[in-house]
Amino acid sequence: MTAEMVTPAWMRAQISAEQYDSWSEEQCAGIEIVDGMVVVSPSDSKRHNRLARILANALDAAAGPGWNADTDFDVRLQDVPLTNRRPDVIVYRAETIDLTPTRPEHVLLVVEAVSPGSETTDRIVKVDQFARAGIPFYWRIEQAATGIPIIYTYVLGPANRSYRDSEIFTGPVKATAPFSVTVDLRPL
């Protein structure tokens, strides 16, 4: 069986921002676009989705009226070649909720929960892409075997457009203050 027999033609050819924007929500669900090529992500586990939803709800409650936190949300990192990522959690300016596509300048924080199969992408590739796009904060969540997550936080260095390590936290995810990273977690 060849790739042509398994995947539709639109997944094997470089696509433009205009083409992607014409697709339905159903076509865009579960994919990202990297350098114009469709990247299909495996379905997330229930544990992964629950963690992202809990964190998004906590960040949304802590953010105040100027910011929204959501899951399953596209961020257009660049138009040519098209790079469109879908972080597990995104915190963005509330007044941009109806703007499409969401651009890096609308985003304060992106969060990726590492799952089997996404380790390299979440630990290396996306970190570099989000930093080059100028998104101020990146969090990576590792799901420990104990069920209590470990959150690695990174802050953008504006001079070199790369993230520098910040604090590491562990504990139940609950928000108490906007983006202080003390989301009721204990430093590791």
Side-chain angles (χ1 to χ4, degrees), residues 67-131:
W67 297 95
N68 294 334
D70 280 307
T71 60
D72 200 24
F73 203 94
D74 285 343
V75 179
R76 178 75 48 89
L77 300 180
Q78 65 185 36
D79 287 316
V80 179
L82 178 61
T83 298
N84 202 66
R85 286 294 192 178
R86 196 175 277 251
D88 293 316
V89 178
I90 179 173
V91 177
Y92 60 97
R93 295 182 190 287
E95 75 266 10
T96 67
I97 192 167
D98 293 319
L99 293 180
T100 302
T102 298
R103 301 280 183 180
E105 58 269 18
H106 306 146
V107 178
L108 178 67
L109 165 69
V110 291
V111 181
E112 292 290 350
V114 177
S115 296
S118 73
E119 294 94 344
T120 301
T121 301
D122 292 342
R123 292 179 184 148
I124 299 170
V125 177
K126 288 183 180 180
V127 176
D128 183 53
Q129 290 174 335
F130 293 140

Side-chain angles (χ1 to χ4, degrees), residues 12 22 62 138 148 152 163-164 168 184 187:
R12 296 187 313 272
S22 73
Y138 178 77
I148 297 176
Y152 298 85
Y163 289 115
R164 60 179 165 74
I168 301 172
D184 203 25

Side-chain angles (χ1 to χ4, degrees), residues 39-60:
V39 178
V40 178
S41 303
S43 295
D44 294 322
S45 69
K46 290 177 185 175
R47 180 180 301 276
H48 180 277
N49 289 337
R50 179 171 168 69
L51 179 61
R53 183 177 40 79
I54 289 170
L55 183 59
N57 290 342
L59 288 168
D60 200 51

Side-chain angles (χ1 to χ4, degrees), residues 129-148:
Q129 290 174 335
F130 293 140
R132 280 187 286 132
I135 296 172
F137 299 95
Y138 178 77
W139 292 1
R140 187 185 81 235
I141 302 176
E142 302 278 344
Q143 298 186 56
T146 62
I148 297 176

